[in-house]
Amino acid sequence: VPTPAPTPASTPDTFCAGGTLAGSTDWQQYGSSGIYVDVDTSVCGFTEVPVYVTSMGGTSSHWMSTGSSEIYSPTATGFRIYVKLE
């Protein structure tokens, strides 16, 4: 007999969204074919590390990149993303 998964504790949902205008993201060079950006989420007021979800858009060639949805060093106040162009 399968055992049902535990029900998570009931807590209020917290949602916070943001973005940058095209060309205004503060990308930093990382090696010869990579870039990274530190994303500050402190304005959201999280008290614990949330689940961050990211995406990257563009008009051409962004399909050739990797890493835009992988979160590094997440905290309640931000995270980092590394992107590599293949």
Side-chain angles (χ1 to χ4, degrees), residues 13-68:
D13 291 331
T14 302
F15 181 84
C16 187
T20 56
L21 296 174
S24 66
T25 303
D26 189 24
W27 294 107
Q28 302 296 311
Q29 189 66 43
Y30 184 75
S32 61
S33 62
I35 53 178
Y36 73 90
V37 65
D38 290 317
V39 179
D40 180 357
T41 63
S42 59
V43 69
C44 297
F46 296 127
T47 57
E48 296 179 1
V49 178
V51 174
Y52 290 114
V53 178
T54 65
S55 66
M56 183 171 65
T59 58
S60 69
S61 301
H62 58 289
W63 63 272
M64 295 173 53
S65 68
T66 59
S68 65

Side-chain angles (χ1 to χ4, degrees), residues 58-84:
T59 58
S60 69
S61 301
H62 58 289
W63 63 272
M64 295 173 53
S65 68
T66 59
S68 65
S69 61
E70 285 66 54
I71 306 298
Y72 287 83
S73 306
T75 69
T77 59
F79 58 92
R80 178 176 281 191
I81 297 174
Y82 291 92
V83 177
K84 180 179 179 185

